[in-house]
Amino acid sequence: MTAAGTPPIVFVHGTRFSAGQWSPQLAALRKEFPVAAVDLPGHGARSAEPWGLAAATEVIASAVDSLHGGPALVVGHSLGGYASLEFARRRPERLRGLVLAGASASTRGPWAAPYRWVAGLVPRLLADRLARWNDRLLHRLYPSDVVEATIRSGYAFHTLPAAWGEVLGRFDAEAMRDVAAPVLLLNGEKDTVFRSGERDFARAHPRARVELIPRAGHLANFDDPDAFTDAVRRFARELPVRG
């Protein structure tokens, strides 16, 4: 049973994944906090819906409202982190805290060019082949209980060009100035690309701090589920209590 005043937590998945990405965190946190994980437009159960950042923020808002204890702590990974930044800008009254995981790199400037190239290449590859490759990779790198829900939910390769097409060129550290709530930049120590702007992101917000998951990469919540979950738990407990 969750304690009165504890913040609801909404988890927002990364590129090509779904709500299943957060199965380890949901299982570990649900006794203490009201928790939910969303499928963004074009992903998981919303696979047939068109991608859009505006639509993504409404999905997050609906999840916050469904937990009946908002405003909420929103935890976003990679693509989901940038969608969560957009949510923070559009719906600040629904946000009690923000965790950006693998989403503290500027999406502006020349570094984005390779990602545009990948986004353009993916539709030319067979989805079944990409899915088999992802299944093998996840099974090789992680325990089944960590990744099985992700594998079972499938992958949203068809949405990747539209999603990153909208995100690239849109976000940098200045986006942190639109966040009214406390922020935790939670990155894998070895995620050199997506933590490349973490110092700038942290400096742009008066209540932001950085925490690293040792030896973890971009999928830090898979690399060390316990450490990732513990960081989210500690941050949630630190947030101001609201009635």
Side-chain angles (χ1 to χ4, degrees):
M1 184 166 179
T2 59
T6 57
I9 307 177
V10 173
F11 290 89
V12 190
H13 63 79
T15 303
R16 79 189 183 279
F17 288 158
S18 68
Q21 177 182 349
W22 301 109
S23 57
Q25 283 67 49
L26 296 177
L29 294 170
R30 63 168 47 103
K31 289 184 179 180
E32 183 175 354
F33 304 94
V35 292
V38 304
D39 286 328
L40 291 173
H43 299 74
R46 298 179 181 272
S47 180
E49 298 179 14
W51 166 263
L53 270 175
T57 63
E58 291 309 306
V59 168
I60 298 170
S62 293
V64 172
D65 292 343
S66 74
L67 296 176
H68 305 297
L73 168 60
V74 176
V75 181
H77 173 255
S78 193
L79 174 66
Y82 296 111
S84 299
L85 269 174
E86 185 72 7
F87 172 78
R89 183 180 73 84
R90 291 173 178 257
R91 303 296 294 272
E93 77 285 355
R94 310 304 295 139
L95 187 72
R96 196 184 304 192
L98 178 64
V99 176
L100 296 179
S104 49
S106 173
T107 70
R108 300 178 186 271
W111 85 269
Y115 296 90
R116 293 190 188 278
W117 179 82
V118 170
L121 177 65
V122 164
R124 304 178 191 177
L125 303 175
L126 293 176
D128 288 348
R129 179 179 297 178
L130 286 169
R132 288 194 298 270
W133 180 84
N134 270 260
D135 288 351
R136 288 195 298 269
L137 180 66
L138 292 177
H139 276 308
R140 186 170 75 245
L141 294 178
Y142 307 109
S144 292
D145 63 323
V146 172
V147 298
E148 195 56 45
T150 293
I151 293 171
R152 188 168 56 247
S153 299
Y155 309 102
F157 296 111
H158 66 289
T159 301
L160 193 152
W164 281 102
E166 189 174 13
V167 167
L168 291 175
R170 188 181 187 99
F171 294 99
D172 58 18
E174 288 297 311
M176 295 286 284
R177 303 188 189 280
D178 294 324
V179 183
V183 180
L184 173 63
L185 304 174
L186 182 59
N187 291 318
E189 179 187 18
K190 296 182 178 180
D191 188 13
T192 55
V193 171
F194 282 92
R195 57 172 289 219
S196 60
E198 67 184 10
R199 291 184 181 181
D200 292 334
F201 274 60
R203 281 196 293 263
H205 193 285
R207 291 185 291 167
R209 63 178 175 84
V210 176
E211 184 168 342
L212 300 181
I213 306 297
R215 299 175 297 281
H218 187 54
L219 291 172
N221 78 301
F222 286 174
D223 288 321
D224 195 336
D226 292 340
F228 190 98
T229 301
D230 187 55
V232 172
R233 180 187 291 113
R234 284 186 280 105
F235 184 66
R237 289 173 176 173
E238 294 168 3
L239 294 174
V241 174
R242 298 188 183 184

